[in-house]
Structure formats: C-alpha cells, structure tokens
C-alpha cells in the first residue's frame, strides 16, 4: 500500500465495505493538513501499515500448521518415504477419498484408510507421519514460485515451459491420452505462449 497524500481537505471513504464484500483493493488518496491531530494520528497509522505490508509474510504452514489441506500434505510426505510408487498411490487415493468419497482430507482416519488401500506399510506410515514436517512442501513451493506457477494443476516440462489447466469434468479414459498428446503438440511450438478461452457465465462448471 502506498497512499497518495493531499492536503487541506477532508478525505471520504467509499462506504463501510470490507474484504468480505468482495471489494477490489486499490490505493486510496488521503487528505491531510498539518494542524489537525486526527490527521496526524491517521498519518502515523498509515505509515505503520505501509511499513508492515512491506515485510515478508511467513508461509501459511508457519502461521497455522493445521490450516485446511496442510495435514494432507504431511500425510503425502510420509507416504513418499516408502518410495515414489507408494507415494503416488497414496496421493491419488487421497484425492479420490476427498473428491469421490467426500471424506475429510485432513483427518488421520482418512489417511490411515487411504494408506491401507494403497498397500502401504501402515505402521511405518504412521511412524513417518509423526516425524513429518513441512520441509518438502516448502521446497516444492519455492520451486513452483520460481517457475511462475500460479495455480494447479500446472504441468512443467523440463526445459521450463508450463501449462495451467482448468478441467471441468473428469476426462474419459478413452480420451485421456489424446488430451495429453494435444498439449504436448502445442508444447513443440515455442512461438505459442498462451491459449486462452474467454470465461463467461455458462462456460465454466459451477
């Protein structure tokens, strides 16, 4: 935030709206003078806001390790300790448990069930889960930021080009390879940097 200051007038705020109203943030113009104590206090307050907003914010897993979705990441990290294939079986199983079975993705009962379904050594999984931390997630998040990833799922090819997809429905099994091949075909054309469908009501799934 970097407000613009003007003097000798009273500034008006555009009503009592908050972030919860879905308002669009912008930079305000602040009217002040040098005699009014209210203007002085307001200026000191805004100077502190600006200073604090410039500080790096701690990652969500540092602020609230139990935030939605984070325990699921810890469980996935524990599953990976039993190998890449085991980790992938667990990841897919946990996604299916959340989106198909509608199970609570962060609860340990769900993690244990998915570990059993995935054929993991459940006793080892639970031991590894107790030792898991956010080191892996933090490293992968930093790499994603460095590569410019802004949403999921994003496919990143080794040479750096990436593609973010919005998939409204599960792709039928018989067409899944065709979609991947189509994306890979576009990938061969380095001149094409973006293909975008304009979004409007009715074009996206609810």
């Amino acid at each position: 935030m970097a407000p613009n200051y003007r003097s000798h007038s009273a500034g008006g705020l555009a009503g009592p709206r908050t972030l919860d109203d879905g308002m669009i943030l912008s930079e305000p113009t602040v009217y002040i003078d040098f005699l009014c104590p209210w203007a002085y206090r307001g200026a000191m307050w805004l100077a502190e806001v600006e200073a604090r907003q410039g500080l790096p914010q701690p990652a969500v897993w540092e602020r609230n390790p139990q935030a939605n979705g984070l325990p699921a990441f810890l469980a996935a990290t524990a599953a990976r300790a039993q190998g890449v294939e085991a980790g992938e079986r667990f990841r897919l199983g946990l996604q299916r448990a959340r989106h198909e079975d509608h199970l609570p993705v962060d609860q340990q009962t769900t993690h244990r069930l998915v570990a059993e379904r995935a054929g993991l050594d459940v006793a080892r999984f639970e031991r590894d889960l107790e030792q898991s931390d956010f080191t892996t997630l933090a490293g992968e998040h930093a790499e994603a930021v460095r590569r410019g990833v802004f949403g999921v799922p994003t496919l990143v090819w080794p040479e750096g080009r990436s593609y973010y997809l919005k998939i409204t429905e599960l792709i039928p099994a018989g067409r899944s390879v065709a979609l991947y091949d189509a994306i890979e075909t576009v990938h061969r054309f380095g001149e094409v940097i973006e293909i975008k469908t304009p979004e409007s009501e009715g074009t996206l799934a609810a």
Side-chain angles (χ1 to χ4, degrees), residues 144-162:
V145 170
R146 179 179 59 80
R147 291 182 167 185
V149 174
F150 59 87
V152 292
T154 295
L155 284 66
V156 182
W157 262 255
E159 59 269 33
R161 295 194 68 187
S162 58

Side-chain angles (χ1 to χ4, degrees), residues 72-191:
F73 272 107
L74 287 181
T77 300
R80 279 195 216 177
Q82 298 189 36
V84 174
E85 292 185 2
E88 286 298 287
R89 292 197 305 272
F90 182 87
R91 177 185 61 80
L92 288 170
L94 189 55
Q95 288 180 297
R96 290 187 175 111
R98 164 67 175 85
H99 295 281
E100 297 177 16
D101 301 333
H102 307 291
L103 297 176
V105 73
D106 287 329
Q107 287 192 7
Q108 290 189 3
T109 52
T110 301
H111 301 160
R112 182 183 177 87
L113 175 63
V114 172
E116 291 172 348
R117 290 176 175 176
L120 270 61
D121 179 334
V122 177
R124 177 185 170 184
F125 168 76
E126 292 181 335
R127 290 195 303 271
D128 289 336
L129 182 56
E130 291 178 358
Q131 302 299 319
S132 293
D133 59 26
F134 292 109
T135 302
T136 298
L137 176 60
E140 292 179 350
H141 178 265
E143 181 181 357
V145 170
R146 179 179 59 80
R147 291 182 167 185
V149 174
F150 59 87
V152 292
T154 295
L155 284 66
V156 182
W157 262 255
E159 59 269 33
R161 295 194 68 187
S162 58
Y163 302 88
Y164 165 62
L165 287 79
K166 288 183 178 179
I167 301 175
T168 59
E169 301 287 344
L170 288 177
I171 306 300
R175 300 174 61 198
S176 58
V177 174
L179 173 59
Y180 186 88
D181 287 346
I183 295 172
E184 198 168 38
T185 297
V186 172
H187 175 67
R188 297 191 186 106
F189 292 85
E191 303 86 349

